[in-house]
Amino acid sequence: MITHPRRPPTLGAGISDTSRLPVAAVDFEPGPKRVLARVCGEIDLDDADGLGQDLTAALDSSICGLDVDLSGVTFCDSSGLHMLLRLNRQAGRSGKTLVLAALGPRVARLLRLTETERLFTIHARATSSPPAEAGPTPPPGQGKLRSPLSTGVRR
């Protein structure tokens, strides 16, 4: 699983609030034509750009597009929404599709309140490629796409 860490805010003389760590994580499952990305945690100003870069790389590596499972997202602010809108636009320009799947209640509410749900293809649940289509099983530790953020170092 790829974790996008954020620095905790400093409260005073070496004391920090660790209740905000970690915030967002994404796990990628490459398929023969599409990549499935399972996102969990909070998508906010601190994490939207890094997450967007990872999702863009997954979109670029796919043949037909990217499916993003958002069932594990507990919070998404306007920067997260903007990142999804940019990703959707990029998918369209490259002749691919972006599918938002298994929206959690908070993401569904955000899309509804901002009247942006009509801009996305939304499926009720995420699907992954059937094992028969997936090809040979990769060796352990090599079956998932990784990003530079997987090391825990922010750019």
Side-chain angles (χ1 to χ4, degrees), residues 34-40 66-73 84 98-105 107-108 111 120-128:
R34 302 185 65 79
V35 174
L36 173 63
R38 291 184 178 92
V39 181
C40 63
L66 177 65
D67 299 333
V68 183
D69 178 345
L70 297 169
S71 60
V73 173
L84 291 171
L98 173 71
V99 173
L100 302 183
L103 300 181
V107 175
L111 296 180
F120 294 101
T121 300
I122 300 173
H123 291 173
R125 59 186 175 158
T127 58
S128 61

Side-chain angles (χ1 to χ4, degrees), residues 140-155:
Q142 296 180 10
K144 297 183 183 193
L145 297 176
R146 297 287 182 198
S147 79
L149 292 176
S150 65
T151 61
V153 177
R154 288 198 68 100
R155 292 184 219 176

